[in-house]
Amino acid sequence: MTEPTLNIRGFQIFKGSLDGQGQADLLAELREVVAQAPLFSPMTPYGRPMSVQMTSAGKYGWYSDRKGYRYEQKHPEGQSWPPIPRGALALWQGLVSTERMPDCCLINYYSDKARMGLHQDRDEADFSWPVLSVSLGDEGLFRIGNTTRGGKTESLWLQSGDVVVMGGEARLRYHGLDRIRHGSSTLLTKGGRINLTMRVVD
Ligand code: SIN
Ligand code: FE2
Protein backbone atom coordinates (compact mmCIF):
# COMPACT_ATOMS: atom_id res chain seq x y z
CA MET A 1 0.00 0.00 0.00
CA THR A 2 1.22 3.51 -0.79
CA GLU A 3 1.81 5.72 2.22
CA PRO A 4 -0.10 9.01 2.45
CA THR A 5 1.88 12.24 2.01
CA LEU A 6 0.09 13.71 5.02
CA ASN A 7 -2.20 12.51 7.76
CA ILE A 8 -4.30 15.21 9.40
CA ARG A 9 -6.69 13.96 12.08
CA GLY A 10 -7.00 10.65 10.26
CA PHE A 11 -7.55 12.21 6.81
CA GLN A 12 -4.97 10.48 4.62
CA ILE A 13 -3.85 12.88 1.92
CA PHE A 14 -2.12 11.52 -1.16
CA LYS A 15 -0.66 14.51 -3.03
CA GLY A 16 -0.50 14.14 -6.80
CA SER A 17 -2.00 10.64 -6.93
CA LEU A 18 -3.11 11.38 -10.47
CA ASP A 19 -0.53 12.81 -12.87
CA GLY A 20 -1.49 15.21 -15.68
CA GLN A 21 -2.46 12.45 -18.09
CA GLY A 22 -4.46 10.64 -15.39
CA GLN A 23 -6.32 13.88 -14.61
CA ALA A 24 -7.09 14.53 -18.30
CA ASP A 25 -8.29 10.94 -18.81
CA LEU A 26 -10.57 11.06 -15.77
CA LEU A 27 -11.91 14.45 -16.87
CA ALA A 28 -12.81 13.00 -20.28
CA GLU A 29 -14.75 10.21 -18.54
CA LEU A 30 -16.51 12.76 -16.33
CA ARG A 31 -17.60 14.74 -19.38
CA GLU A 32 -19.43 11.60 -20.58
CA VAL A 33 -21.13 11.22 -17.20
CA VAL A 34 -22.27 14.85 -17.22
CA ALA A 35 -23.57 14.50 -20.81
CA GLN A 36 -25.91 11.72 -19.60
CA ALA A 37 -26.61 13.06 -16.11
CA PRO A 38 -26.40 16.88 -16.23
CA LEU A 39 -25.17 18.93 -13.27
CA PHE A 40 -27.90 20.46 -11.08
CA SER A 41 -27.98 22.68 -7.98
CA PRO A 42 -29.75 20.82 -5.16
CA MET A 43 -31.79 22.57 -2.50
CA THR A 44 -30.73 22.15 1.09
CA PRO A 45 -33.41 20.88 3.51
CA TYR A 46 -33.54 24.51 4.70
CA GLY A 47 -34.71 25.63 1.25
CA ARG A 48 -31.58 27.35 -0.07
CA PRO A 49 -29.85 26.20 -3.27
CA MET A 50 -26.38 24.77 -2.67
CA SER A 51 -23.61 26.82 -4.29
CA VAL A 52 -21.99 23.74 -5.83
CA GLN A 53 -23.46 22.03 -8.86
CA MET A 54 -23.59 18.26 -8.67
CA THR A 55 -24.42 14.98 -10.31
CA SER A 56 -23.52 11.36 -9.59
CA ALA A 57 -22.42 8.09 -11.14
CA GLY A 58 -23.04 4.57 -9.89
CA LYS A 59 -25.98 2.67 -8.39
CA TYR A 60 -26.92 5.65 -6.23
CA GLY A 61 -26.64 9.40 -6.46
CA TRP A 62 -26.56 11.75 -3.51
CA TYR A 63 -29.51 14.13 -3.45
CA SER A 64 -30.99 16.85 -1.30
CA ASP A 65 -34.24 18.82 -1.22
CA ARG A 66 -36.82 19.98 1.35
CA LYS A 67 -37.30 16.34 2.40
CA GLY A 68 -33.64 16.00 3.44
CA TYR A 69 -30.34 14.46 2.42
CA ARG A 70 -30.48 10.99 0.89
CA TYR A 71 -29.40 8.67 -1.91
CA GLU A 72 -31.57 8.23 -5.00
CA GLN A 73 -31.39 5.60 -7.75
CA LYS A 74 -32.36 8.10 -10.46
CA HIS A 75 -31.22 11.51 -11.63
CA PRO A 76 -33.89 14.22 -11.01
CA GLU A 77 -34.69 14.06 -14.78
CA GLY A 78 -35.59 10.35 -14.39
CA GLN A 79 -32.66 8.43 -15.90
CA SER A 80 -30.41 6.02 -14.00
CA TRP A 81 -27.00 7.38 -13.01
CA PRO A 82 -24.20 6.48 -15.49
CA PRO A 83 -21.52 3.98 -14.46
CA ILE A 84 -18.66 5.18 -12.25
CA PRO A 85 -15.66 6.17 -14.44
CA ARG A 86 -12.92 3.55 -14.67
CA GLY A 87 -10.26 6.07 -13.67
CA ALA A 88 -12.13 6.73 -10.42
CA LEU A 89 -12.61 3.02 -9.69
CA ALA A 90 -8.89 2.44 -10.26
CA LEU A 91 -8.09 4.91 -7.47
CA TRP A 92 -10.57 3.15 -5.17
CA GLN A 93 -9.00 -0.23 -5.95
CA GLY A 94 -5.53 1.12 -5.27
CA LEU A 95 -6.33 2.81 -1.96
CA VAL A 96 -9.49 1.26 -0.50
CA SER A 97 -10.54 -2.20 -1.71
CA THR A 98 -10.52 -4.59 -4.61
CA GLU A 99 -13.34 -6.64 -3.01
CA ARG A 100 -16.11 -4.08 -2.82
CA MET A 101 -16.63 -1.24 -5.28
CA PRO A 102 -18.29 2.07 -4.32
CA ASP A 103 -22.05 2.44 -4.94
CA CYS A 104 -21.86 6.16 -5.56
CA CYS A 105 -19.44 8.62 -7.08
CA LEU A 106 -20.71 12.10 -6.25
CA ILE A 107 -19.40 14.78 -8.60
CA ASN A 108 -19.32 18.31 -7.20
CA TYR A 109 -18.44 21.28 -9.39
CA TYR A 110 -17.26 24.49 -7.70
CA SER A 111 -17.38 27.61 -9.82
CA ASP A 112 -15.63 30.76 -8.64
CA LYS A 113 -17.91 31.56 -5.67
CA ALA A 114 -18.99 28.09 -4.64
CA ARG A 115 -18.18 26.56 -1.27
CA MET A 116 -19.31 23.78 0.99
CA GLY A 117 -20.03 24.34 4.67
CA LEU A 118 -18.72 22.07 7.40
CA HIS A 119 -20.69 18.81 7.41
CA GLN A 120 -20.40 15.11 8.16
CA ASP A 121 -20.88 12.43 5.48
CA ARG A 122 -23.41 10.26 7.28
CA ASP A 123 -26.09 9.18 4.82
CA GLU A 124 -24.43 5.78 4.29
CA ALA A 125 -25.30 2.54 6.12
CA ASP A 126 -21.80 1.37 7.08
CA PHE A 127 -19.19 3.85 8.30
CA SER A 128 -16.46 1.19 8.30
CA TRP A 129 -16.05 1.96 4.58
CA PRO A 130 -14.00 5.10 3.93
CA VAL A 131 -15.02 7.88 1.58
CA LEU A 132 -12.45 8.51 -1.16
CA SER A 133 -12.14 12.06 -2.49
CA VAL A 134 -10.45 13.16 -5.72
CA SER A 135 -9.71 16.80 -6.61
CA LEU A 136 -9.45 18.12 -10.18
CA GLY A 137 -8.91 21.65 -11.48
CA ASP A 138 -8.50 24.73 -9.31
CA GLU A 139 -7.12 24.43 -5.79
CA GLY A 140 -9.61 24.27 -2.96
CA LEU A 141 -9.15 25.18 0.70
CA PHE A 142 -10.30 22.08 2.58
CA ARG A 143 -11.18 22.42 6.27
CA ILE A 144 -11.01 19.55 8.74
CA GLY A 145 -12.87 19.65 12.04
CA ASN A 146 -14.01 17.32 14.78
CA THR A 147 -16.60 14.57 15.22
CA THR A 148 -18.99 17.06 16.79
CA ARG A 149 -19.73 20.62 15.62
CA GLY A 150 -17.34 23.33 16.76
CA GLY A 151 -13.82 23.25 18.13
CA LYS A 152 -10.53 23.94 16.41
CA THR A 153 -10.17 23.18 12.71
CA GLU A 154 -7.20 22.75 10.38
CA SER A 155 -7.11 23.69 6.70
CA LEU A 156 -5.08 22.70 3.69
CA TRP A 157 -5.14 23.42 -0.02
CA LEU A 158 -6.11 20.44 -2.17
CA GLN A 159 -4.71 20.52 -5.68
CA SER A 160 -5.60 18.83 -8.94
CA GLY A 161 -4.69 15.15 -8.72
CA ASP A 162 -4.76 14.98 -4.91
CA VAL A 163 -6.68 12.11 -3.34
CA VAL A 164 -7.98 11.96 0.25
CA VAL A 165 -9.06 8.82 2.10
CA MET A 166 -11.55 9.66 4.86
CA GLY A 167 -11.77 6.54 6.96
CA GLY A 168 -11.36 5.36 10.52
CA GLU A 169 -11.33 8.29 12.96
CA ALA A 170 -11.76 10.70 10.02
CA ARG A 171 -14.92 9.05 8.69
CA LEU A 172 -17.36 11.06 10.79
CA ARG A 173 -15.32 14.22 11.17
CA TYR A 174 -16.80 17.50 10.02
CA HIS A 175 -15.18 18.82 6.85
CA GLY A 176 -15.90 21.41 4.21
CA LEU A 177 -14.48 23.49 1.40
CA ASP A 178 -14.08 27.20 2.18
CA ARG A 179 -13.19 28.54 -1.26
CA ILE A 180 -11.36 27.85 -4.46
CA ARG A 181 -8.48 29.74 -6.02
CA HIS A 182 -10.01 30.52 -9.39
CA GLY A 183 -7.59 30.09 -12.30
CA SER A 184 -4.96 28.21 -10.27
CA SER A 185 -5.16 25.21 -12.61
CA THR A 186 -5.34 24.96 -16.39
CA LEU A 187 -7.08 21.56 -16.40
CA LEU A 188 -10.58 23.02 -16.87
CA THR A 189 -10.71 25.59 -19.67
CA LYS A 190 -13.25 27.79 -17.84
CA GLY A 191 -11.68 27.22 -14.44
CA GLY A 192 -13.39 25.87 -11.36
CA ARG A 193 -12.88 22.77 -9.30
CA ILE A 194 -14.29 19.27 -9.49
CA ASN A 195 -14.38 17.03 -6.45
CA LEU A 196 -15.38 13.39 -6.65
CA THR A 197 -16.35 11.44 -3.57
CA MET A 198 -16.84 7.70 -3.78
CA ARG A 199 -18.91 5.97 -1.15
CA VAL A 200 -20.24 2.55 -0.22
CA VAL A 201 -23.92 3.31 0.44
CA ASP A 202 -25.81 0.08 1.32
C1 SIN B 1 -17.42 17.01 0.27
O1 SIN B 1 -17.11 16.90 1.43
O2 SIN B 1 -18.45 16.49 -0.15
C2 SIN B 1 -16.56 17.78 -0.70
C3 SIN B 1 -15.19 18.06 -0.21
C4 SIN B 1 -14.36 18.71 -1.27
O3 SIN B 1 -14.89 19.38 -2.14
O4 SIN B 1 -13.13 18.53 -1.26
FE1 FE2 C 1 -18.33 15.54 2.59
Side-chain angles (χ1 to χ4, degrees):
M1 267 299 174
T2 8
E3 286 300 312
T5 321
L6 283 167
N7 186 320
I8 302 177
R9 301 187 187 183
F11 287 75
Q12 296 185 298
I13 296 132
F14 297 83
K15 297 295 291 178
S17 253
L18 279 178
D19 63 14
Q21 189 61 55
Q23 294 168 40
D25 291 347
L26 180 52
L27 182 62
E29 289 195 280
L30 291 172
R31 290 201 194 289
E32 287 179 38
V33 170
V34 171
Q36 294 167 49
L39 292 165
F40 56 93
S41 295
M43 280 289 173
T44 65
Y46 319 102
R48 280 166 52 95
M50 294 180 70
S51 63
V52 294
Q53 291 181 280
M54 61 175 60
T55 190
S56 290
K59 179 179 173 192
Y60 294 109
W62 190 85
Y63 192 69
S64 170
D65 62 13
R66 293 307 283 252
K67 291 188 228 151
Y69 302 138
R70 62 191 181 273
Y71 285 97
E72 290 282 358
Q73 287 190 288
K74 306 269 193 217
H75 185 277
E77 290 172 1
Q79 66 276 39
S80 298
W81 306 100
I84 298 178
R86 295 156 55 118
L89 290 176
L91 291 168
W92 177 275
Q93 288 176 310
L95 292 171
V96 179
S97 173
T98 52
E99 310 282 303
R100 168 104 200 232
M101 290 301 110
D103 301 311
C104 171
C105 176
L106 172 65
I107 300 159
N108 285 149
Y109 174 71
Y110 296 78
S111 59
D112 198 6
K113 294 282 177 275
R115 58 184 299 277
M116 184 160 316
L118 281 171
H119 66 276
Q120 291 174 300
D121 288 1
R122 55 176 316 142
D123 304 314
E124 303 76 28
D126 181 355
F127 301 135
S128 68
W129 287 101
V131 171
L132 185 79
S133 141
V134 184
S135 293
L136 292 171
D138 287 338
E139 299 173 15
L141 186 58
F142 186 63
R143 186 187 290 270
I144 293 171
N146 305 293
T147 51
T148 52
R149 254 192 203 289
K152 284 209 167 100
T153 62
E154 288 176 69
S155 297
L156 80 153
W157 286 96
L158 293 178
Q159 278 142 341
S160 199
D162 291 354
V163 172
V164 183
V165 179
M166 311 190 243
E169 63 148 318
R171 183 62 180 77
L172 288 173
R173 277 190 188 273
Y174 279 83
H175 57 275
L177 201 287
D178 288 355
R179 61 191 159 93
I180 71 164
R181 223 178 234 153
H182 193 83
S184 53
S185 161
T186 54
L187 184 70
L188 306 176
T189 31
K190 289 180 185 155
R193 173 175 184 266
I194 296 170
N195 178 260
L196 310 181
T197 41
M198 281 172 275
R199 303 109 185 273
V200 168
V201 172
D202 284 329

